[in-house]
Amino acid sequence: MSHESVWNHPVVTDAQGRPLDVMELRGLTVDVIVGLYNRERVTPQPLRLDVALFLDARQAAVGGRLANTVHYGRLAGELRFLLDACRFELLESAAEAVCRYLLAPPTDAAPHALLHAATVRVTKPEALTGWAIPSLQVHRTAEEMVYRTEAKAFGHVDVIHEGATYGVYRLRVEAGKAIPPRADGHTEGMELVLGAGVLLAGQPVGRGMAFSGSDVFGHGYDNPTATEQTVLGVYRPRLVLSEGGVPGEMAAVGPGRQYYLPE
């Protein structure tokens, strides 16, 4: 058995002392910008991600509903999006951001079972050109996570994780509300639509579609559905939530990228 195939994570129990079930997503590898050095800030390199999710799968086993477990296909796309968008400088930042995203409470647009804890391992297989393989493994529990949420005219913004130069946020759009085009002084961003039924610049946009660049701040999202919808955003610099957004002009919608596999 190879070194990379060996992965140990702790046993986590529920309130009754029973071991929780573990769902693993292993070997997710994405070519991304990651690292501190100049060469690493301009040239993508592989980053491997392994995650273990601790949950109680009994209800899903009986009821057969995805909302009672974790849709690992969509989760894989969302984690790929985070690795692409954040451009982490440190493995520590990548592991923490992934943990915080995994353990954030579910939304109406992306329901899933309650996760009690998560183990995350990030690996840079080519960082040392074959001398060695650096990796970092962390374990976090849901009860230690604190998330800030701020009310907005369109709904709420959840602060998932903030690094030195970027922030990860969930924009939750209430039924019948809309996010107007913004002009908040950000230089770039990426946005991933998590729910179904969202309109972007008046046109339907599929679940799992992402848009990037400076134009994303000129995008207006409408939620004509009867339930809350969510847009996952990564922005540079971080959002200043205590200040009101500055209205902007509607920007043309360029080609997007699909992060979900066909269902």
Side-chain angles (χ1 to χ4, degrees), residues 54-72:
F54 297 84
L55 71 161
D56 187 340
R58 292 178 178 86
Q59 190 172 1
V62 174
R65 297 182 65 246
L66 279 172
N68 293 329
T69 182
V70 174
H71 193 308
Y72 50 79

Side-chain angles (χ1 to χ4, degrees), residues 20-23 53-61 65-72 75 101-107 110-118 142 170:
L20 286 167
D21 304 313
V22 184
M23 177 181 288
L53 312 176
F54 297 84
L55 71 161
D56 187 340
R58 292 178 178 86
Q59 190 172 1
R65 297 182 65 246
L66 279 172
N68 293 329
T69 182
V70 174
H71 193 308
Y72 50 79
L75 178 61
Y101 181 72
L102 292 172
L103 297 175
T107 66
H112 60 73
L114 175 66
L115 297 181
H116 297 261
R170 289 192 313 201

Side-chain angles (χ1 to χ4, degrees), residues 103-137:
L103 297 175
T107 66
D108 290 343
H112 60 73
L114 175 66
L115 297 181
H116 297 261
T119 299
V120 171
R121 181 173 67 180
V122 287
T123 304
K124 291 172 67 176
E126 297 182 5
L128 300 179
T129 62
W131 292 1
I133 299 177
S135 68
L136 172 71
Q137 178 172 310

Side-chain angles (χ1 to χ4, degrees), residues 217-236:
F217 307 104
H219 289 175
Y221 295 94
D222 292 277
N223 177 15
T225 73
T227 60
E228 179 185 86
Q229 298 295 333
T230 304
V231 176
L232 178 63
V234 176
Y235 306 113
R236 299 176 184 276

Side-chain angles (χ1 to χ4, degrees), residues 155-241:
H156 296 83
V157 174
D158 300 326
V159 181
I160 301 300
H161 174 72
E162 290 185 318
T165 61
Y166 65 91
V168 182
Y169 309 90
R170 289 192 313 201
L171 285 62
R172 295 189 282 120
V173 190
E174 294 178 355
K177 298 291 185 68
I179 302 177
R182 297 141 286 160
D184 297 331
H186 292 81
T187 57
E188 60 180 310
M190 288 185 69
E191 293 177 337
L192 176 67
V193 177
L194 299 185
V198 173
L199 302 180
L200 171 57
Q203 298 298 316
V205 57
R207 186 198 302 266
M209 286 297 297
F211 303 88
S212 62
S214 59
D215 288 344
V216 298
F217 307 104
H219 289 175
Y221 295 94
D222 292 277
N223 177 15
T225 73
T227 60
E228 179 185 86
Q229 298 295 333
T230 304
V231 176
L232 178 63
V234 176
Y235 306 113
R236 299 176 184 276
R238 298 181 295 180
L239 294 181
V240 182
L241 294 179

